[in-house]
C-alpha cells in the first residue's frame, strides 16, 4: 500500500451546547491513499462530515472544540499549521465539494466569477483572460452546456444538479491532490445523481486526485469507492475493501446497515431497518457505541464495559464478537 496522502489519527471533537457536551467524534483514525476513492458511510449524525471539517479546521470554535488528534496531509499536520499556510492548502491541494451548493455559492456573484476566484486566490499573477478560459474549460469538463455563456449566470438561475457541477468545477480548479465530496447527490433526483457521479469520476481522472466520498447511500459507495470506512456514534467501527465489506460485513452495525437497503436481486423481500435509535452523543459510552442496538450482544457484559479497538489488517473491525458468516 502506498504511503497515505491523508492520515487522520485519534481525532476527537466536541461541541458545547445548552444541553451539554456533544461527543461528536471519538478517536477516529483512517488513511486516504494516493489516487484511491474512499467511501465514508454511516447514519446521519455519526460524525462523517464533522471529521472532515475538523481535519480542515472549518468548524466554528466555539461551539466546536478540537480535543486531540492529528490530520497529516502530505506529512504536515493540518491541525497545527499556521492559518496562512492552511489557507494555501485548502482549495489548492485539497478541494471540497460541500453538501448544499445553493448555500455554498454566493447568491450575488456570477458563477464564473466564483470559480475564477478559486483560481486567482492561489495564483495572484493569473490574468483575468486566462482565468476565464480555464473556467470555460472546467465548466465544459463537468458537463455544463454553453459554458462560455452560462458562466455569467447567477446561482439561482441554475438547477441543483448544475450548481453541484459548478461546485465540483471550483473544487478541482487547482488540480488538488485530494478531493472531498460531502453527500454530493443529496436532494437530487436519481437521473441527476447518476450524472453528478459521472462528473466526479471525470474530475478525479482529470486531476489524479484521491477522493473521499461521504454518503449514507450505499449504492453510491458500491459504485464509486474502492475502500469503505463505516462510522457509528462518532467512531470508526469497520473498514475494508468495498467488495469484501458488502459480501462479508463483520460488524453487526455494518450488516444491519446493508440489510436495511432493499435488494433487487434474488427473492423479493422487505428491507430490515436497523433496530432502536442512534446514541445522543451527550454521554460518551463506556463500551461499544452500538451495544444498545446490537442484535448479537445478548448478555455479554464486555460489550458495555469495554470499548472495542479496530483490529489490524486489511479488513478492520471494532467489535469484541465480530460476525463470521457471509451475508445472505
Amino acid at each position: 500500500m502506498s504511503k497515505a496522502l491523508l492520515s487522520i489519527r485519534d481525532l476527537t471533537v466536541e461541541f458545547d451546547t445548552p444541553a451539554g457536551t456533544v461527543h461528536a467524534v471519538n478517536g477516529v483514525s483512517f488513511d486516504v491513499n494516493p489516487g484511491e476513492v474512499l467511501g465514508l458511510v454511516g447514519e446521519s449524525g455519526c460524525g462523517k462530515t464533522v471529521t472532515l471539517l475538523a481535519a480542515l479546521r472549518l468548524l466554528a470554535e466555539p461551539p466546536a472544540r478540537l480535543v486531540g488528534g492529528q490530520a497529516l496531509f502530505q506529512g504536515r499536520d493540518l491541525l497545527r499549521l499556521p492559518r496562512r499556510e492552511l489557507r494555501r492548502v485548502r482549495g489548492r491541494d485539497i478541494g471540497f465539494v460541500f453538501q448544499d451548493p445553493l448555500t455554498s455559492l454566493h447568491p450575488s456573484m456570477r458563477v464564473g466569477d466564483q470559480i475564477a476566484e478559486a483560481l486567482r486566490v492561489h495564483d495572484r499573477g493569473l490574468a483575468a483572460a486566462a482565468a476565464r478560459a480555464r473556467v470555460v474549460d472546467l465548466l465544459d469538463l463537468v458537463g455544463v452546456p454553453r459554458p462560455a455563456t452560462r458562466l455569467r449566470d447567477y446561482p439561482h438561475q441554475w438547477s441543483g444538479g448544475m450548481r453541484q457541477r459548478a461546485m465540483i468545477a471550483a473544487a478541482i480548479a487547482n488540480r488538488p491532490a485530494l478531493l472531498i465530496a460531502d453527500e454530493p447527490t443529496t436532494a437530487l433526483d436519481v437521473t441527476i445523481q447518476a450524472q453528478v457521479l459521472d462528473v466526479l469520476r471525470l474530475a478525479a481522472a482529470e486531476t489524479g486526485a484521491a477522493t473521499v466520498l461521504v454518503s449514507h447511500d450505499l449504492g453510491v459507495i458500491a459504485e464509486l469507492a474502492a475502500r469503505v470506512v463505516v462510522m457509528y456514534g462518532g467512531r470508526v467501527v469497520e473498514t475494508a475493501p468495498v467488495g469484501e465489506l458488502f459480501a462479508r460485513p463483520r460488524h453487526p452495525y455494518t450488516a444491519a446497515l446493508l440489510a436495511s437497503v432493499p435488494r433487487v436481486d434474488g427473492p423479493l423481500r422487505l428491507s430490515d431497518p436497523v433496530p432502536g435509535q442512534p446514541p445522543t452523543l451527550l454521554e460518551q459510552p463506556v463500551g461499544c457505541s452500538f451495544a444498545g442496538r446490537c442484535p448479537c450482544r445478548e448478555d455479554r457484559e464486555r460489550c458495555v464495559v469495554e470499548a472495542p479497538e479496530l483490529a489490524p489488517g486489511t479488513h478492520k473491525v471494532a467489535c469484541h464478537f465480530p460476525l463470521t458468516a457471509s451475508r445472505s
Side-chain angles (χ1 to χ4, degrees), residues 14-140:
E14 298 176 349
F15 287 86
D16 294 321
T17 73
T21 299
V22 174
H23 305 278
V25 175
N26 297 292
V28 164
S29 297
F30 62 84
D31 292 335
V32 184
N33 297 305
E36 81 167 338
V37 179
L38 178 75
L40 191 57
V41 303
E43 292 172 300
S44 296
C46 72
K48 307 184 298 293
T49 298
V50 170
T51 295
L52 295 170
L53 291 177
L56 294 180
R57 286 159 61 187
L58 290 172
L59 294 173
E61 301 181 42
R65 182 170 61 252
L66 181 63
V67 178
Q70 293 180 308
L72 300 171
F73 177 73
Q74 296 178 331
R76 296 186 296 171
D77 189 356
L78 300 178
L79 304 183
R80 288 161 182 82
L81 277 184
R83 285 284 178 181
R84 190 168 188 171
E85 290 184 41
L86 184 63
R87 283 195 292 270
R88 294 194 191 105
V89 172
R90 295 189 306 214
R92 184 189 67 183
D93 301 317
I94 302 177
F96 205 118
V97 181
F98 292 94
Q99 186 171 5
D100 185 358
L102 186 58
T103 57
S104 301
L105 292 167
H106 198 295
S108 63
M109 285 182 66
R110 299 181 192 276
V111 173
D113 291 342
Q114 297 188 59
I115 300 172
E117 184 179 50
L119 287 163
R120 300 184 75 179
V121 75
H122 294 289
D123 186 356
R124 297 291 185 181
L126 185 66
R132 185 182 185 281
R134 173 67 175 151
V135 170
V136 171
D137 289 343
L138 286 164
L139 291 178
D140 183 56

Side-chain angles (χ1 to χ4, degrees), residues 62-319:
R65 182 170 61 252
L66 181 63
V67 178
Q70 293 180 308
L72 300 171
F73 177 73
Q74 296 178 331
R76 296 186 296 171
D77 189 356
L78 300 178
L79 304 183
R80 288 161 182 82
L81 277 184
R83 285 284 178 181
R84 190 168 188 171
E85 290 184 41
L86 184 63
R87 283 195 292 270
R88 294 194 191 105
V89 172
R90 295 189 306 214
R92 184 189 67 183
D93 301 317
I94 302 177
F96 205 118
V97 181
F98 292 94
Q99 186 171 5
D100 185 358
L102 186 58
T103 57
S104 301
L105 292 167
H106 198 295
S108 63
M109 285 182 66
R110 299 181 192 276
V111 173
D113 291 342
Q114 297 188 59
I115 300 172
E117 184 179 50
L119 287 163
R120 300 184 75 179
V121 75
H122 294 289
D123 186 356
R124 297 291 185 181
L126 185 66
R132 185 182 185 281
R134 173 67 175 151
V135 170
V136 171
D137 289 343
L138 286 164
L139 291 178
D140 183 56
L141 174 71
V142 298
V144 173
R146 298 179 290 108
T149 302
R150 298 303 302 273
L151 61 77
R152 295 184 55 79
D153 290 347
Y154 291 93
H156 72 270
Q157 295 175 275
W158 287 26
S159 67
M162 291 283 282
R163 288 192 291 264
Q164 196 61 283
R165 291 167 190 259
M167 289 297 297
I168 295 170
I172 66 169
N174 293 291
R175 296 183 174 87
L178 176 64
L179 179 64
I180 299 172
D182 183 16
E183 300 279 8
T185 58
T186 296
L188 301 177
D189 64 52
V190 175
T191 303
I192 303 302
Q193 283 185 21
Q195 293 173 2
V196 169
L197 294 178
D198 286 340
V199 168
L200 280 172
R201 283 196 197 93
L202 282 171
E206 162 77 7
T207 61
T211 304
V212 178
L213 180 60
V214 182
S215 183
H216 61 268
D217 188 328
L218 294 173
V220 169
I221 295 298
E223 185 176 347
L224 289 184
R227 194 162 56 90
V228 186
V229 172
V230 182
M231 289 187 65
Y232 180 82
R235 297 175 178 175
V236 173
V237 297
E238 189 165 8
T239 177
V242 65
E244 174 76 11
L245 186 95
F246 275 69
R248 287 173 291 279
R250 301 201 65 205
H251 197 283
Y253 172 66
T254 308
L257 198 62
L258 291 169
S260 70
V261 179
R263 298 282 292 271
V264 296
D265 58 325
L268 181 66
R269 66 170 177 82
L270 297 175
S271 59
D272 301 317
V274 182
Q277 295 295 323
T280 66
L281 300 181
L282 286 170
E283 294 183 6
Q284 206 164 10
V286 177
C288 174
S289 56
F290 191 58
R293 305 171 73 185
C294 183
C296 306
R297 183 173 69 86
E298 300 174 350
D299 295 322
R300 292 164 169 163
E301 185 180 0
R302 186 182 180 190
C303 296
V304 294
V305 299
E306 180 186 344
E309 300 291 332
L310 274 174
T314 304
H315 192 154
K316 302 177 183 180
V317 59
C319 181

